[in-house]
Amino acid sequence: MSTSDQSRSQQPDRTRRVIVGIDGSVRSRDALTWAVTEAGLRGAELHAVTAWWVPGGYGDVWMVSPGVDYAAEAGKILDAALVEALGPHEAQLVHRHLVEGNPANALIDLATPQDLIVVGSHGHGGFVGALIGSVSQRVAAHATCPVVIVRHPKEQ
């Protein structure tokens, strides 16, 4: 291997991204912590995704809270998680994605085959005793890139 080949192989591949789903749950914070470390090891960009949607209705009754800005609330959740995990300065370096829609689809649609998606084992929708949530299950089944599902230490 030539010297230029060796130096190229030791350079981090900055075209790859680590994409992490954040919903404000303890498990998504665990996933964020893991993703931060992995992005550093890979020399990859860190992309944090929070998806939101207006709750649906039943028949003619809609379950919408008047005056709630769901996008702003999602942004607060994302910002708080990043600042808690990284501190205010480092949090500013993370690429943020606020997406209206299904969280699994938001992660899958953003990723390319060269990326890595990181999610918690289940988030706010998870029920006690569940080993894997619907978002993590859907991402693992449909993503075109590697997926890491981070379990909370108490689940080990």
Side-chain angles (χ1 to χ4, degrees), residues 4-149:
S4 63
D5 289 338
Q6 283 178 337
S7 64
R8 250 185 275 143
S9 67
Q10 294 172 355
Q11 295 296 318
D13 183 355
R14 301 235 181 244
T15 62
R16 295 179 183 207
R17 303 174 299 173
V18 175
I19 301 168
V20 60
I22 305 295
D23 68 1
S25 69
V26 171
R27 285 157 188 90
S28 76
R29 289 194 302 269
D30 293 340
L32 175 58
T33 300
W34 194 94
V36 166
T37 301
E38 187 65 18
L41 292 171
R42 291 173 177 246
E45 293 179 343
L46 181 62
H47 289 252
V49 179
T50 297
W52 60 274
W53 64 42
V54 176
Y58 181 77
D60 291 333
V61 179
W62 285 91
M63 310 295 180
V64 176
S65 300
V68 174
D69 183 346
Y70 292 99
E73 292 302 314
K76 288 177 188 175
I77 289 169
L78 180 58
D79 290 342
L82 291 173
V83 168
E84 181 182 326
L86 298 166
H89 177 69
E90 293 295 319
Q92 297 303 316
L93 303 175
V94 176
H95 299 270
R96 291 170 167 78
H97 302 269
L98 289 173
V99 181
E100 181 178 7
N102 179 287
N105 291 346
L107 293 163
I108 292 165
D109 292 347
L110 179 62
T112 68
Q114 295 79 29
D115 296 329
L116 172 69
I117 298 176
V118 181
V119 292
S121 58
H122 55 273
H124 281 300
F127 59 90
V128 176
L131 295 177
I132 187 169
S134 61
V135 171
S136 52
Q137 187 174 19
R138 181 171 171 82
V139 169
H142 297 285
T144 60
C145 65
V147 176
V148 172
I149 301 171

